[in-house]
Amino acid sequence: VNVTVVAAGVNLDQHGITGSWYNPAASGQGFEIEVYPDAVGAGQGILFAGWFTYDVAGSGGRRWYALQGNVSRTDSVATLSIFADQGGNLDAPPVVSPGPVLGTATLSLSNCTHALLIYQFTDGSKRFGTIPLTRLTPNVTCSPAGDNGAAASDYLLSGNWYNPATSGQGLMFDVSPSISNLFAAWYTFKPNGQQIGGGASQDW
């Protein structure tokens, strides 16, 4: 008798998942993830991720997507929507609203340092794939069952920050107290992004 053992996975409703994640085989791009635990209710949170990547065309322009969905302490797989903000200007108005949903993705963690993202775009581009992810910065409070009880630290400053006057762009901070490091990813637009429009208006 063949028996397949499936790992129980990681409780996704915990701030400890927040941080920088990437695929070592495609270094130079990746994800900034933040979890808002219990934001929907007890054991039910929200996961937001900024996906920093490149255009599939030969020009290789910088592109970014946003992924968002609910997470649960009883479900080790998160279902996320993929969307993109376009047509803004670097550190300037207008306020940009999230665009239409471009696809879906699922995210699961096998442990606190390894994850798997499976994505499929439904915007007609027929893009799909699987990305194995490794945590780029050290784990601080994550454990498979949930928060490991580590004392509060500067790590709690990690997350999404923005200027309401230029909503639709902002910064995602990853604070790593064990290595005295602050990393920030700035998802924004070209100075004349409103005139350019579309995906080419993005920059990071």
Side-chain angles (χ1 to χ4, degrees):
V1 177
N2 293 324
V3 177
T4 300
V5 178
V6 180
V10 174
N11 174 5
L12 298 179
D13 184 41
Q14 58 173 312
H15 181 70
I17 295 169
T18 297
S20 304
W21 297 75
Y22 82 124
N23 176 6
S27 184
Q29 55 185 305
F31 295 79
E32 289 297 316
I33 297 175
E34 180 176 14
V35 175
Y36 306 88
D38 301 330
V40 180
Q44 305 292 318
I46 296 173
L47 185 148
F48 178 86
W51 181 2
F52 299 88
T53 185
Y54 297 93
D55 188 0
V56 295
S59 58
R62 289 185 289 268
R63 299 287 185 270
W64 54 266
Y65 299 98
L67 292 79
Q68 183 171 317
N70 292 346
V71 292
S72 170
R73 67 183 175 198
T74 59
D75 190 347
S76 60
V77 179
T79 299
L80 310 170
S81 296
I82 304 171
F83 56 94
D85 295 354
Q86 299 177 352
N89 295 314
L90 173 69
D91 190 31
V95 169
V96 179
S97 299
V101 174
L102 303 177
T104 59
T106 60
L107 178 71
S108 59
L109 276 68
S110 56
N111 53 51
C112 287
T113 56
H114 296 91
L116 186 69
L117 183 91
I118 301 173
Y119 67 91
Q120 180 169 2
F121 282 83
T122 55
D123 59 354
S125 64
K126 299 181 180 180
R127 292 172 292 170
F128 66 94
T130 300
I131 305 176
L133 295 174
T134 299
R135 185 188 287 270
L136 184 60
T137 47
N139 174 34
V140 180
T141 66
C142 177
S143 80
D147 192 306
N148 62 15
S153 69
D154 292 344
Y155 173 67
L156 295 178
L157 296 172
S158 298
N160 295 291
W161 297 74
Y162 81 119
N163 175 6
T166 57
S167 182
Q169 57 184 301
L171 292 149
M172 298 188 73
F173 292 105
D174 183 7
V175 180
S176 302
S178 64
I179 58 173
S180 301
N181 184 71
L182 166 66
F183 176 82
W186 184 2
Y187 53 101
T188 184
F189 303 97
K190 296 186 182 302
N192 59 339
Q194 187 178 24
Q195 293 177 326
I196 296 172
S201 66
Q202 293 182 329
D203 206 353
W204 54 262

